Amino acid sequence: MTNHTTTRTMSVAEAIRTRRTVRHYRPDPVSPQLLDTLLDLAVEAPTSWNLQDRSIVVVSSEEGRAGLARATGGQPQPTEAPVVLVFVAEPQAWREDRSDVYRQARQNGAWSEQFVEMFSAASQEFQEGLEQRGLLREYAVKDAVISASFVMLAATAMGLATSPMNGWDEEKVKKVIGIEDREDLAVALLVSVGHPAGTRLHPGRRPRRRVVFDGTYGADGTDGPDTASPPAAR
């Protein structure tokens, strides 16, 4: 992937290290080409059992973004960013016809007919188990958040800024995107996308030994630097 103003390629590691959460944006629009690429990469994110049990609603109208600003308690991102992506989790997706998913996997040579038969039965059994334990929503939300993570890293590599947003009223968000009557759907995350209004410095992270453990939680941490070494801000 390339920056929208240069031809320099940014590695995945560099995108991870330079990504910052940006709350304020310039009014410049995100080009349709960049947005198309970003969304193409978002749907490449993995999902449990390849259910693809998440969708993305692109909110770019002034009215829609104003509604999201109200739904988020007045946070500035929806008002200032030209695009807000709403990640919708679909806990009941496993009940739908998945023949298109299986057909594509066979056409790509990724799955054999025998594998499809086994996979279909096993995934159905797994989802029924989740339903019995009340975990369908949790799994779908996880899949949606993984897709949002792809968006944030891809956007960074393109020279764009993002902010994963929490603190919203789900019913109000649902109303903005037209699913207020869909109890089978859940809002997983909002991500604003745009051009940053300024530079954000890296606030630093705790040393790895404080948060990465060997074998069991709380065991001696794995070797790492005592202090984080933030890269140059982007």
Side-chain angles (χ1 to χ4, degrees):
M1 287 177 288
T2 57
N3 185 287
H4 73 294
T5 58
T6 72
T7 58
R8 188 180 70 82
T9 299
M10 182 180 287
S11 69
V12 174
E14 189 176 5
I16 290 172
R17 292 191 173 101
T18 58
R19 184 214 61 81
R20 301 271 70 79
T21 294
V22 173
R23 290 171 57 84
H24 297 286
Y25 299 82
R26 303 198 310 267
D28 313 47
V30 174
S31 76
Q33 295 79 10
L34 279 184
L35 185 58
D36 281 346
T37 300
L38 193 61
L39 296 172
D40 283 343
L41 294 172
V43 299
E44 287 291 337
T47 58
S48 177
W49 296 93
N50 199 28
L51 275 176
Q52 302 174 54
D53 52 345
R54 74 288 182 267
S55 294
I56 305 168
V57 180
V58 181
V59 180
S60 57
S61 71
E62 186 173 345
E63 179 184 3
R65 291 185 291 109
L68 291 180
R70 291 190 294 271
T72 59
Q75 295 183 52
Q77 297 95 311
T79 302
E80 297 184 16
V83 177
V84 179
L85 305 180
V86 181
F87 290 81
V88 178
E90 303 172 347
Q92 302 301 322
W94 64 285
R95 302 184 191 277
E96 301 172 358
D97 177 24
R98 284 175 280 166
S99 59
D100 62 317
V101 173
Y102 300 145
R103 181 171 59 253
Q104 187 176 47
R106 287 193 297 264
Q107 290 174 347
N108 289 346
W111 296 353
S112 67
E113 189 63 46
Q114 294 75 17
F115 182 85
V116 167
E117 292 180 8
M118 178 279 295
F119 189 87
S120 177
S123 63
Q124 194 79 1
E125 181 180 355
F126 182 83
Q127 297 300 316
E128 290 172 355
L130 291 182
E131 183 177 37
Q132 292 172 2
R133 291 180 287 156
L135 295 176
L136 287 174
R137 177 186 173 112
E138 177 181 325
Y139 269 64
V141 167
K142 288 175 182 177
D143 286 342
V145 170
I146 292 172
S147 183
S149 296
F150 271 46
V151 161
M152 290 185 281
L153 294 180
T156 299
M158 295 175 183
L160 297 170
T162 60
S163 174
M165 298 182 63
N166 212 332
W168 29 262
D169 183 304
E170 182 170 51
E171 294 307 313
K172 291 181 179 179
V173 173
K174 280 187 166 186
K175 186 173 182 179
V176 170
I177 62 174
I179 59 170
E180 62 267 31
D181 59 342
R182 296 289 302 274
E183 294 184 1
D184 59 313
L185 301 177
V187 176
L189 196 67
L190 277 62
V191 177
S192 55
V193 182
H195 301 283
T199 299
R200 292 217 61 189
L201 298 177
H202 195 316
R205 297 290 187 266
R206 284 177 167 171
R208 198 177 72 195
R209 59 184 174 78
R210 284 282 306 275
V211 295
V212 180
F213 306 113
D214 187 7
T216 58
Y217 181 85
D220 289 341
T222 64
D223 291 337
D226 287 337
T227 58
S229 299
R234 296 278 168 157

